[in-house]
Amino acid sequence: MTALHDPPVAPSRAARELGLRRSEFDIAVYLGRIRTVRDEGGGGRRVARSEIERIRAQEGFPQALRDSARTVGTTEGAALMGVTKDRFTRLARLGLLVPVNFYLNRYRAVVWMYLAEEIERFAADVANAPLLKGRTPEGLRDQLKEGLDLRARNWRGRYLGFLLGQAEDPWARAAAVASLLDPVEVSEVVRDPYERSHLGRFRPASPSHGSPGSPAAQIAEEIMTAAEPDETARLRRELARELDTAREQRPAPRPAPRPRDHLAVPRSAQRTREHGRVPHPAAAREPGPAPYSARRPAAATSGPAPERPRPKEPRRPRGLLSRLRRRGS
């Protein structure tokens, strides 16, 4: 029997020991049914041995855990409810069915995934019977005609709950809220650059959807960023509250203040103080460069003034031209 005090294991190993596929394991963690701990070495989240033993001891393991993490798309979800795919999509757009995950297919179309047990629970509720058969109520039809689609917004709300549940630090909670806002919105709420930098250290890793900068990654980023004004305003208020709590518990680190230049002691004074002598105030100042006039050589004060050299006489022309000029004179 494995000791409960063994070190935590990686998610891949925990999934194998719990009899889950990795996608099922991730959903179970997302839903809080498998608790994870932070890796002290900075390698992400891990699962404690005691948590694995706790789950194994639950009734119905492993099938009950696997069923709770089962997800379905639109086609399979509509079959579970006994409705058409169009009706299922309308119910999801109205926010009556909340996605638990999404991915992009090879055509870069968003495929929403839902918990199978939530779909079955919705279909079994007699209060929802009018929504499963007959015409959609008029008020709901009008909202759909106006383009209402709450799937992405409801997923963001669910995802934020997961991030807050994983956060173990007040700055991590604030960073979780900030991760769903546009960077411009974050900078307007967090005006201090040192706080923004500190907040970025706790920013949770985004779900991987394509390589960075790819069209798929850009679509996923749009889904993860609040777009509606009321949702943005709500997240901004929540970010401000989380930020106030983080400041009270532990302010963001700042660089140490630099000494003021006019208080610096001259080097000559420092050297003199090291030898135990107190310099005269005038001597404490280091001599600066001599003025230009001081660098000129001093003029002699006695003796005869030096004679200036006489200009040389012009040379007389030589050759035939000079002899002709002398004869003519």
Side-chain angles (χ1 to χ4, degrees), residues 37-46:
V37 295
R38 183 175 54 186
D39 184 7
E40 299 299 333
R45 310 290 296 186
R46 301 178 78 84

Side-chain angles (χ1 to χ4, degrees), residues 12-137:
S12 56
R13 179 174 175 179
R16 290 196 303 269
E17 295 191 13
L18 293 174
L20 300 175
R21 294 193 300 269
R22 183 55 192 267
S23 59
E24 295 173 334
F25 174 85
D26 292 339
I27 291 296
V29 172
Y30 179 81
L31 298 173
R33 290 162 190 176
I34 300 177
R35 296 191 295 262
T36 60
V37 295
R38 183 175 54 186
D39 184 7
E40 299 299 333
R45 310 290 296 186
R46 301 178 78 84
V47 182
R49 176 60 58 185
S50 59
E51 177 68 5
I52 295 177
E53 299 299 334
R54 182 189 70 83
I55 296 173
R56 280 177 168 174
Q58 292 178 349
E59 184 179 357
F61 175 84
Q63 191 59 42
L65 178 62
R66 190 177 295 116
D67 291 342
S68 68
R70 179 190 171 199
T71 58
V72 295
T74 300
T75 301
E76 193 173 358
L80 287 176
M81 296 180 66
V83 298
T84 64
K85 292 193 298 183
D86 290 342
R87 183 180 291 271
F88 184 93
T89 301
R90 289 197 296 269
L91 294 175
R93 288 178 56 189
L94 290 167
L96 301 175
L97 305 174
V98 180
V100 71
N101 197 9
F102 74 92
Y103 69 91
L104 276 70
N105 61 17
R106 60 179 179 176
Y107 304 107
R108 297 175 188 165
V110 180
V111 179
W112 295 102
M113 304 299 292
Y114 306 84
L115 282 176
E117 66 175 13
E118 290 184 355
I119 299 299
E120 293 172 342
R121 191 182 308 125
F122 184 91
D125 191 344
V126 293
N128 297 325
L131 299 172
L132 303 179
K133 297 179 180 179
R135 291 176 58 84
T136 304

Side-chain angles (χ1 to χ4, degrees), residues 138-196:
E138 184 177 357
L140 298 180
R141 288 203 311 269
D142 294 340
Q143 295 180 32
L144 292 172
K145 290 179 181 179
E146 294 174 359
L148 178 68
D149 191 347
L150 298 178
R151 288 175 293 184
R153 177 170 179 165
N154 285 344
W155 176 84
R156 285 192 293 268
R158 193 168 205 166
Y159 183 64
L160 178 59
F162 162 71
L163 293 178
L164 294 176
Q166 295 281 314
E168 300 175 357
D169 184 278
W171 286 97
R173 291 183 60 86
V177 180
S179 67
L180 300 181
L181 285 169
D182 185 90
V184 176
E185 302 284 350
V186 175
S187 63
E188 291 178 356
V189 178
V190 191
R191 297 186 177 274
D192 190 325
Y194 296 110
E195 290 184 340
R196 286 200 303 271

